[in-house]
Amino acid sequence: MSAPPANRASAAQRPALCGARERVSAATLAGRVERLATALQETQPRPRMVGLLADNGPDWIVVDLAAERIGLPLVPLPGFFTPAQLRHALEATGMDALFCATPVSALSLGFQGGGRLEGVDLPWFRRAAERVTIPAGTSKITFTSGTTGTPKGVCLSAAQQRTVSVALVQATHRLGIERHLSLLPLPVLLENIAGVYAPMLAGATCIVPPLAEVGVAGAASFDAHACLAAIERWQATSVILLPQMLLALTAALESGAPRPSTLRFAAVGGAKVASALIERARAAGLPAYEGYGLSECASVVALNVPRADRPGSVGRALSHVDVRIGDDGEILVAGSGFLGYLGAEVDEDGASATEWLPTGDLGRLDADGFLYVDGRRKHQLITSFGRNVAPEWPEAELTASPVIAQAAVFGEARPQLSAVIVPRSSAVGDGAIDASVQAANRQLPDYAQIAHWVRAFAPFTAADGLATPNGRIRRDAIWARYAKRLEYLYETRTGAGADALL
């Protein structure tokens, strides 16, 4: 992906980027990218692998585009990574250069320096590092948070990222998106591809203020009212949301917060979303549309859009990919294969991905080509009655409730399912939780209903090891903490409930 062309006066003067206190035209952006690219090429010794650890802002995008411009592999580092995860990323990539907004962080990771290069105000650091073999053509290494503390590096080419960006522009061109406001950290691949590259290709303005100014703090703190105010202040026409953000924004609107006046498209991804929540959001004034993707496919694979929309599905596949369902129900994707995982053995061409990429997700396609995602294959439960249940399914129905913030569903080899539930606030009573559980059960078949539940001691967070940095729950850790309470319910509440499922 390159900086927007500045070969026409009208294009050169338009704001390609907006930060907290600056508007950057396409011409200015192209000039800054070129100056930084030149400075990187002239630096001795020339860096082999550069990292980027900074808050959202125009400088982040300048570094991203300049690295791509000269074929320098870039490693975007999320600010929510722990020190151990950052050190893992450094050693796994052989990173010998780093743009970092906070010198103390760079120095603590073993870097030295702190000077600046032409084109950006971010300090620049170096360190001695052993060379690491990566797949040929790697332009970016994005780290997934996964379900363990050690993130996995996915190697992507510039061509793959551009292909996805072009497909997104094709899918959304009728929406007339003029201003995209980034609400997710730019190191999150979804925001990097769909929130920067695609809007730039479409001629829209990318608005990238610091995350605190849009209500985001850390990996799990979100101020819905501050976010709505930012959407209105910037007159945003599109945003990208995680499901928990969608729920919080919907609840704020339902409580009387002003509706966004310019928003035309709010893409939702990152985890399964209940169709009831999509419908609630739209009724409240949020044009929410669910999509689906994964890092190995450079983000988006399928997307709902106006006039090609089916709530409950994640939309139709984008134009650059083919999707099919394997014999075991797993979603397979072809046409957007990544180069390989960092540290994995690669072939002579530097690619290790197969033609049909197994996603690890279970799903189905309807007669009109809409894709439905039922959950993760490795999370699938088999009840003692032999019923297969992806726990993300009932979890999505539970968290569609305005009183339930998080839920973890269990039931392997049990007659019924159980759940650990985090209410939206400590003021929510058990009666309200139970009413929400029963409402969710009415949307589910008997074998996927929640028979027992316990109230969580505290929210599931990355700090206590019960969630990943991007908010996905860690099932094994939650089970370890709540197993005794759930086992007690199974032992004491048997009989009619179990018999009813026969």
Side-chain angles (χ1 to χ4, degrees), residues 5-15 25-26:
N7 56 346
R8 290 183 298 179
S10 59
Q13 298 306 314
R14 70 169 175 80
S25 70

Short mmCIF file of all heavy atoms in Angstrom, two decimals, residues 5-15 25-26:
data_model
loop_
_atom_site.label_atom_id
_atom_site.label_comp_id
_atom_site.label_asym_id
_atom_site.label_seq_id
_atom_site.Cartn_x
_atom_site.Cartn_y
_atom_site.Cartn_z
N PRO A 5 -1.76 9.17 -4.28
CA PRO A 5 -1.06 9.95 -5.30
C PRO A 5 -1.36 11.44 -5.14
O PRO A 5 -2.46 11.83 -4.75
CB PRO A 5 -1.63 9.41 -6.61
CG PRO A 5 -2.96 8.85 -6.25
CD PRO A 5 -2.80 8.31 -4.86
N ALA A 6 -0.37 12.27 -5.46
CA ALA A 6 -0.55 13.72 -5.34
C ALA A 6 -0.31 14.37 -6.70
O ALA A 6 0.30 15.42 -6.81
CB ALA A 6 0.42 14.27 -4.30
N ASN A 7 -0.81 13.73 -7.76
CA ASN A 7 -0.52 14.21 -9.12
C ASN A 7 -1.57 15.18 -9.65
O ASN A 7 -1.45 15.67 -10.75
CB ASN A 7 -0.38 13.02 -10.07
CG ASN A 7 -1.61 12.13 -10.06
OD1 ASN A 7 -2.45 12.26 -9.18
ND2 ASN A 7 -1.70 11.23 -11.03
N ARG A 8 -2.61 15.43 -8.88
CA ARG A 8 -3.61 16.40 -9.29
C ARG A 8 -3.82 17.40 -8.18
O ARG A 8 -3.82 17.06 -7.00
CB ARG A 8 -4.94 15.71 -9.63
CG ARG A 8 -4.89 14.87 -10.90
CD ARG A 8 -6.24 14.28 -11.23
NE ARG A 8 -6.69 13.38 -10.17
CZ ARG A 8 -7.85 12.75 -10.21
NH1 ARG A 8 -8.68 12.92 -11.21
NH2 ARG A 8 -8.20 11.94 -9.23
N ALA A 9 -4.01 18.65 -8.55
CA ALA A 9 -4.10 19.72 -7.54
C ALA A 9 -5.23 19.45 -6.55
O ALA A 9 -5.06 19.61 -5.34
CB ALA A 9 -4.29 21.05 -8.22
N SER A 10 -6.39 19.02 -7.05
CA SER A 10 -7.51 18.81 -6.15
C SER A 10 -7.23 17.70 -5.16
O SER A 10 -7.55 17.81 -3.97
CB SER A 10 -8.77 18.49 -6.95
OG SER A 10 -8.57 17.32 -7.74
N ALA A 11 -6.61 16.62 -5.64
CA ALA A 11 -6.29 15.51 -4.75
C ALA A 11 -5.19 15.89 -3.78
O ALA A 11 -5.20 15.50 -2.62
CB ALA A 11 -5.87 14.29 -5.56
N ALA A 12 -4.23 16.67 -4.26
CA ALA A 12 -3.10 17.03 -3.42
C ALA A 12 -3.50 17.88 -2.24
O ALA A 12 -2.84 17.87 -1.20
CB ALA A 12 -2.05 17.77 -4.25
N GLN A 13 -4.56 18.65 -2.36
CA GLN A 13 -4.95 19.56 -1.29
C GLN A 13 -6.00 18.98 -0.35
O GLN A 13 -6.31 19.60 0.67
CB GLN A 13 -5.48 20.87 -1.91
CG GLN A 13 -4.44 21.61 -2.72
CD GLN A 13 -3.16 21.86 -1.94
OE1 GLN A 13 -3.21 22.29 -0.79
NE2 GLN A 13 -2.01 21.60 -2.55
N ARG A 14 -6.58 17.86 -0.69
CA ARG A 14 -7.61 17.31 0.18
C ARG A 14 -6.97 16.76 1.45
O ARG A 14 -5.80 16.36 1.44
CB ARG A 14 -8.38 16.19 -0.53
CG ARG A 14 -7.54 14.94 -0.74
CD ARG A 14 -8.39 13.77 -1.19
NE ARG A 14 -7.57 12.62 -1.51
CZ ARG A 14 -7.08 11.78 -0.61
NH1 ARG A 14 -7.31 11.99 0.66
NH2 ARG A 14 -6.36 10.74 -0.99
N PRO A 15 -7.69 16.71 2.58
CA PRO A 15 -7.13 16.12 3.79
C PRO A 15 -7.14 14.59 3.69
O PRO A 15 -8.20 13.96 3.71
CB PRO A 15 -8.05 16.62 4.91
CG PRO A 15 -9.35 16.90 4.22
CD PRO A 15 -9.02 17.30 2.82
N SER A 25 -2.71 16.95 3.98
CA SER A 25 -3.18 16.75 2.61
C SER A 25 -2.49 15.55 2.00
O SER A 25 -1.47 15.05 2.50
CB SER A 25 -2.88 17.99 1.77
OG SER A 25 -1.48 18.11 1.55
N ALA A 26 -3.01 15.08 0.88
CA ALA A 26 -2.40 13.95 0.18
C ALA A 26 -0.98 14.29 -0.24
O ALA A 26 -0.07 13.45 -0.16
CB ALA A 26 -3.25 13.56 -1.03
#
